[in-house]
Amino acid sequence: MSFDARSQHSPTSATSQRPHFTVANIPPDILASAGETFAAAACRIQKALGQAARLSSGREDVAFESTLDELGRLEHLGIQLQQAARVLSGEGLALPEAFDLTEAVRRTFAEWAGAATKRNIRIALPATPLPVDAVPGVIEQLLDLATEEALRIAATIDVEVAMQGIPAHPMLMLHLLRRDGEADDHGLSWHLFVLLSRTSGLSPQRISVGDTTTLMLGFPTQAPVSGDDPSERSAALLPRTPIAVGCKVLLVEPRDMTRLYAHRLMQSAGMRVDATVTIEQARASLQDRLPDIVVTGVPVDRADCSALVDEIRTAQPRLRVIELVDDDSAFALSLPGSNRAGRVGLHDLARTLVIAISQELIAA
């Protein structure tokens, strides 16, 4: 199942390099769930074929139709697993770009309309556009998995896209009223949805209350871009100091969306940024120029990251380091005379990242 989720907007980055996603090992329970799914479907096919051979021609067609549906389901699952493997390995993916999430949702559900009609599921879709920055192919896969999971358990599906939270960030929500007697068990499609979301720097969540279940996907706060709607926060309002402008930053961030967002914020503030995915790439970038500051999503106390910082500090004694951490309230500058890094929470980068860099450089 496929669609082109991209709008006519220009890509958010002019770079042509292939993006990299965090390498993830598929947990054993995911593999076990996949094996169970294939085995159960194969068993149903065998029973249907045996039954079809014994039935009259009038009922035989129904049995064979059911068999073909199961075969189609197996084929689709095989495609989903292959697509998931490609995302986890970072192969064949485009750069994040701006597109309309509402349009992507509507196209996905149009592809699943036949299955929804067969199961007599009522669906309500959003109409208001909501632009997001993401890799369209990955969002296509996530929408496909979320829709399949919803159809598996729901009697009604109400899809909502909106800006939520503080600071506001795009959210996709599938509000499900489960069918009578349907438990909120997690299918293979949900396990894959969670794995791909987290690997891609997005935030999946599932909440069940009574006979309702809500599937959610949170996107990072959109970085300000020149030319955005005047009502949005513009790049001109970002902190801009003589210290920050022109400073050299080495960004090491495995999460694709976070890397794109942080790069935009620092570049908008007048910094020169080398954005890298791995420690190896970061080390290779040192051949071009030494940074004044390292901003890293890789834990500073991890051996390879610590070694990189020590290596840079040997040639650049006044180097400062800021670690990006998954903590809403984190904001701390590095301690004078120590090797302890500053810390900035991922969920408040728009307000704190440039300020933290400026303060670190002033301290240096």
Side-chain angles (χ1 to χ4, degrees):
M1 163 171 324
S2 64
F3 63 86
D4 185 1
R6 294 169 291 182
S7 68
Q8 300 302 314
H9 297 87
S10 300
T12 54
S13 171
T15 0
S16 58
Q17 66 188 38
R18 187 185 75 185
H20 297 265
F21 284 71
T22 307
V23 177
N25 295 319
I26 299 179
D29 60 329
I30 300 294
L31 294 177
S33 182
E36 181 182 353
T37 301
F38 275 107
C43 180
R44 286 192 292 270
I45 290 174
Q46 289 173 343
K47 287 181 179 179
L49 287 174
Q51 189 179 33
R54 296 189 298 270
L55 291 176
S56 64
S57 58
R59 298 180 62 192
E60 190 174 325
D61 291 341
V62 177
F64 274 113
E65 183 180 348
S66 175
T67 300
L68 291 175
D69 286 344
E70 287 294 340
L71 286 172
R73 180 169 171 269
L74 282 177
E75 180 184 16
H76 184 61
L77 177 57
I79 292 172
Q80 286 178 327
L81 291 174
Q82 292 177 63
Q83 290 174 334
R86 293 190 69 194
V87 172
L88 296 178
S89 63
E91 295 179 6
L93 297 173
L95 288 168
E97 59 182 87
F99 66 92
D100 182 9
L101 180 60
T102 297
E103 180 186 356
V105 167
R106 297 183 72 88
R107 290 186 181 181
T108 297
F109 273 88
E111 293 284 349
W112 284 95
T117 301
K118 279 185 178 180
R119 302 175 194 182
N120 198 28
I121 299 174
R122 184 190 64 79
I123 298 175
L125 299 177
T128 305
L130 181 65
V132 296
D133 281 345
V135 178
V138 174
I139 301 306
E140 172 187 347
Q141 294 173 42
L142 290 172
L143 288 173
D144 188 56
L145 290 165
T147 304
E148 183 173 19
E149 178 71 1
L151 294 177
R152 188 180 66 84
I153 64 173
T156 66
I157 302 172
D158 184 5
V159 185
E160 179 184 2
V161 294
M163 298 293 292
Q164 292 196 353
I166 302 176
H169 59 279
M171 285 286 296
L172 166 69
M173 291 158 284
L174 279 70
H175 305 290
L176 315 178
L177 176 63
R178 298 195 303 277
R179 290 190 292 272
D180 291 340
E182 190 72 53
D184 186 32
D185 59 328
H186 297 187
L188 175 60
S189 52
W190 174 253
H191 289 300
L192 288 174
F193 179 85
V194 171
L195 185 62
L196 294 187
S197 299
R198 290 176 176 167
T199 302
S200 305
L202 305 175
S203 304
Q205 193 173 359
R206 182 174 187 140
I207 299 175
S208 294
V209 179
D211 58 357
T212 64
T213 296
T214 299
L215 311 180
M216 293 180 284
L217 183 64
F219 294 76
T221 307
Q222 302 297 296
V225 183
S226 178
D228 277 351
D229 188 282
S231 63
E232 298 178 4
R233 187 181 183 191
S234 70
L237 298 179
L238 288 171
R240 199 174 177 89
T241 72
I243 296 295
V245 173
C247 80
K248 298 178 287 293
V249 180
L250 174 58
L251 173 63
V252 191
E253 175 52 72
R255 291 159 293 201
D256 209 58
M257 293 299 297
T258 302
R259 185 173 67 255
L260 174 69
Y261 185 39
H263 183 272
R264 279 185 173 186
L265 288 170
M266 293 185 289
Q267 196 172 54
S268 296
M271 306 178 199
R272 290 182 287 168
V273 185
D274 290 325
T276 62
V277 180
T278 65
I279 297 296
E280 292 72 20
Q281 289 181 2
R283 183 169 282 108
S285 74
L286 300 179
Q287 299 174 5
D288 300 325
R289 59 186 176 192
L290 289 174
D292 301 307
I293 189 162
V294 172
V295 177
T296 173
V298 178
V300 176
D301 58 2
R302 208 174 82 177
D304 55 350
C305 187
S306 178
L308 174 67
V309 169
D310 290 343
E311 180 181 329
I312 300 174
R313 191 165 272 140
T314 299
Q316 176 71 291
R318 300 175 71 176
L319 177 75
R320 314 299 285 189
V321 181
I322 292 178
E323 182 178 347
L324 306 180
V325 297
D326 193 11
D327 182 342
D328 292 359
S329 59
F331 183 83
L333 301 179
S334 58
L335 297 177
S338 79
N339 290 331
R340 182 175 176 179
R343 301 171 78 245
V344 171
L346 287 172
H347 303 283
D348 204 16
L349 292 184
R351 189 176 64 87
T352 59
L353 180 58
V354 173
I355 293 174
I357 290 174
S358 297
Q359 293 297 321
E360 290 287 352
L361 294 175
I362 290 171

